[in-house]
Amino acid sequence: MWRVPALRSLRLTVPLLTVPLLGALLVAAGPGSSAGEPGPDVVPPLPTVPGLPIVSLPTDRLVPSYTGGPARERPMPAAHLPQHPFLAPNGSSSMHNDSYSSDAYAVSGPLGHDPVVESASYGIRECATITFDSQGRILGLCGGVEGFTMMLIDPETLQPISQRVVSERDLTSGANPLTDICGGTYFYLDERDRAFATTTDSSIAQLQVVDDEVVEKRRWPVADALPEGDCLVATAPDWSGRTWVFSKQGHAGTLDRRTGKVRLRRLGGPEEGIFNSVSADETGGVFAVSTHAMYRLEADRRGRPLVTWRREYDRGSRLKPGMLSQGSGTSPTLLGRRWVGLTDNADPRTRLLVLDRHTGEQRCAVPVFEAGASTTENSLVAAGRGFVIENNYGYSGVPATMLGRTTTPGVARVVLTRGGGCRLAWTNDTVAPTSVPKASLGNGLVYVYSKPARDDGIDAWYLTAIDLRSGRTAWSRLTGTGTQWNNHYAAIYLGPDGAAYVATLTGLVRVTDGARP
């Protein structure tokens, strides 16, 4: 654990040689690879000076820094979304914001008035999940080649206040650090500012801030309950405060934090795995999507996990480029009092599915995006009476977006109709290779992290705002050019003050409105 003084963000320029150098450092798996498969060697991260911004390049001046214009604030009515009694306030407790995994905020995010971009570099380390504690500070679980660190970060300067190593990677395992989902991706923040994180050694670690320092209070081993070779992927509390755990090989269960007892059950057959986060609702249900089916689980009086329903979906015939596994790439997203959304992996077009979360019955299946080029590895967004989905087809790894290349375009919204079905409301041709999009119900915009294709080989990354009602792009603001600005599956976040945050492979970006009329 170390502490650093707060420094104001600076901006640096470096020679263009930084681009191929960083590309060499950030070698990713090629097309068709999946999490946990052997990957190429990865060079340890370059030493960095804490407090400096993410490196900017002279090529920033060769691309548009801002397109479009400020949006008008048009709040969108929110669906039923109760506050989980054992989580931090909605919008601040996890990667997907709340127990429903809505990926939507009540707060108004940036409207595009002369947006200001600030950043801080943490080395080659990505804070895929960040939360906001009761003081508005950022707690981020940040992963690099070496392992995972919980960082306490100033939300305005982005400077680290304190950090503590949570778990280390086994670099001899052959797993590619850029696609390995074993521990370190997900954690949740509870109502008492306690963080519960999965670790690479299949434990649940409890961390919290004491006198501005991140400390580990306790750790519960789960590895002995798992078969050899398995690992923890996700964790979440149910409405009784019971901690649930989920493994890559498809095990689901409960952890009694008082006694340390773990109760697990296998979901499906030996080929079935879990690669994404989970959700919970006020009925006691916990929802998980495996590579084959959607589940609703609950615990009996002794804490044993029970499957109340299972619904198979079309997992397709192949691992599409942009996927970590052959199956759904989404976490279950709950909408209102009755529905849960996910995607399948159907050919030729991925479909957005809406199920009754009480019975598992399917309400609708709506194909999205271009035939033969549609998939998503990121969660849906629940906004109003529908879901927003992003196309990640073609993101086979970091090199897929280097040298001006990018992925297949597509952001779409599917809405529930009053007649009991669903319809495709709009499709936008923005290219958003890997972001977890987020909606601001406070202003009616959905934010994606976009990268247009360029013939000149420049890799330009933008925060882009799309109107939730019409599907029209409102504005895009450049964050930077170069691979160091790639967010690589990390989410977009809105802070309590409406600032937008994007984690990249080398640090954290903050975007706020400048002067507003």
Side-chain angles (χ1 to χ4, degrees):
M1 185 279 301
W2 57 262
R3 302 181 65 189
V4 297
L7 302 174
R8 285 290 171 183
S9 295
L10 307 172
R11 286 187 67 82
L12 301 178
T13 58
V14 299
L16 289 178
L17 288 174
T18 300
V19 176
L21 176 61
L22 188 59
L25 288 170
L26 298 174
V27 175
S33 66
S34 64
E37 293 181 354
D41 293 336
V42 179
V43 180
L46 291 173
T48 60
V49 179
L52 294 182
I54 298 174
V55 173
S56 63
L57 301 176
T59 46
D60 288 5
R61 301 180 181 181
L62 303 179
V63 301
S65 63
Y66 182 75
T67 60
R72 182 165 60 91
E73 193 170 88
R74 298 177 62 203
M76 175 169 280
H80 168 75
L81 179 55
Q83 172 61 52
H84 193 297
F86 297 100
L87 283 178
N90 289 344
S92 61
S93 63
S94 64
M95 174 185 286
H96 299 302
N97 295 24
D98 45 61
S99 67
Y100 275 30
S101 297
S102 73
D103 287 308
Y105 293 87
V107 70
S108 178
L111 289 169
H113 293 280
D114 190 23
V116 176
V117 175
E118 299 171 287
S119 71
S121 173
Y122 310 137
I124 300 181
R125 180 190 288 179
E126 180 179 74
C127 304
T129 297
I130 68 174
T131 62
F132 298 88
D133 71 7
S134 57
Q135 297 184 41
R137 300 171 299 185
I138 294 171
L139 266 178
L141 188 56
C142 307
V145 174
E146 75 287 356
F148 297 92
T149 301
M150 187 69 76
M151 298 178 65
L152 178 66
I153 301 169
D154 185 295
E156 294 185 2
T157 68
L158 303 183
Q159 302 311 313
I161 301 170
S162 170
Q163 67 174 349
R164 181 170 293 276
V165 174
V166 177
S167 56
E168 298 179 351
R169 294 186 191 271
D170 179 5
L171 296 179
T172 67
S173 68
N176 185 346
L178 291 180
T179 56
D180 186 7
I181 62 169
C182 289
T185 299
Y186 297 113
F187 79 95
Y188 69 87
L189 190 68
D190 78 359
E191 82 287 3
R192 296 165 57 186
D193 281 345
R194 300 179 299 181
F196 295 88
T198 58
T199 70
T200 55
D201 65 355
S202 292
S203 296
I204 298 295
Q206 177 190 327
L207 300 105
Q208 59 195 91
V209 178
V210 179
D211 296 329
D212 289 342
E213 294 187 0
V214 179
V215 298
E216 182 174 322
K217 287 291 190 177
R218 191 172 176 185
R219 186 174 292 234
W220 295 269
V222 181
D224 289 347
L226 296 172
E228 185 177 355
D230 201 1
C231 64
L232 288 186
V233 170
T235 183
D238 64 18
W239 230 258
S240 299
R242 184 182 295 108
T243 295
W244 285 71
V245 293
F246 296 83
S247 80
K248 183 179 175 182
Q249 292 182 11
H251 292 88
T254 63
L255 165 67
D256 186 325
R257 300 202 308 267
R258 183 179 59 84
T259 66
K261 186 173 182 59
V262 179
R263 296 175 173 87
L264 292 179
R265 68 170 298 151
R266 189 77 165 80
L267 301 181
E271 301 300 319
E272 201 162 338
I274 294 175
F275 287 73
N276 294 287
S277 187
V278 297
S279 303
D281 73 3
E282 63 272 31
T283 68
V286 177
F287 300 84
V289 181
S290 78
T291 54
H292 292 66
M294 172 82 190
Y295 290 86
R296 182 190 184 277
L297 303 105
E298 60 183 38
D300 67 12
R301 292 182 179 179
R302 298 176 61 184
R304 294 176 300 190
L306 305 174
V307 175
T308 55
W309 58 256
R310 177 182 188 269
R311 176 82 183 198
E312 291 190 6
Y313 60 83
D314 186 347
R315 64 189 301 262
S317 58
R318 63 190 175 110
L319 180 70
K320 298 177 183 177
M323 301 293 292
L324 296 178
S325 64
Q326 184 184 331
S328 175
T330 60
S331 302
T333 299
L334 311 186
L335 178 67
R337 299 179 184 274
R338 185 174 177 183
W339 309 109
V340 57
L342 71 155
T343 61
D344 64 13
N345 193 43
D347 292 313
R349 298 169 69 191
T350 291
R351 300 177 302 171
L352 192 152
L353 311 178
V354 180
L355 309 180
D356 186 315
R357 69 175 188 254
H358 305 297
T359 66
E361 293 300 312
Q362 182 172 293
R363 172 177 175 137
C364 60
V366 181
V368 289
F369 308 128
E370 181 182 344
S374 64
T375 193
T376 189
E377 185 56 48
N378 288 308
S379 188
L380 304 173
V381 178
R385 286 186 52 81
F387 300 93
V388 176
I389 179 174
E390 173 187 280
N391 194 7
N392 304 132
Y393 190 90
Y395 189 76
S396 53
V398 174
T401 53
M402 293 175 63
L403 303 177
R405 296 189 296 267
T406 195
T407 58
T408 306
V411 180
R413 183 169 184 240
V414 172
V415 297
L416 280 60
T417 62
R418 299 193 182 280
C422 306
R423 65 178 178 85
L424 180 65
W426 52 258
T427 301
N428 181 295
D429 62 1
T430 295
V431 183
T434 75
S435 67
V436 179
K438 294 295 178 75
S440 169
L441 301 179
N443 63 23
L445 297 175
V446 61
Y447 300 94
V448 299
Y449 198 53
S450 65
K451 185 185 186 295
R454 293 188 62 89
D455 294 335
D456 57 12
I458 297 176
D459 299 321
W461 294 87
Y462 292 84
L463 180 68
T464 295
I466 298 171
D467 187 288
L468 272 167
R469 292 175 173 85
S470 68
R472 290 191 296 267
T473 299
W475 53 267
S476 292
R477 175 62 165 93
L478 179 73
T479 56
T481 59
T483 304
Q484 67 273 27
W485 299 93
N486 184 341
N487 74 307
H488 190 64
Y489 293 116
I492 297 167
Y493 297 89
L494 297 183
D497 63 351
Y501 299 86
V502 185
T504 79
L505 287 164
T506 59
L508 191 61
V509 179
R510 183 176 189 260
V511 181
T512 54
D513 279 330
R516 293 178 57 178

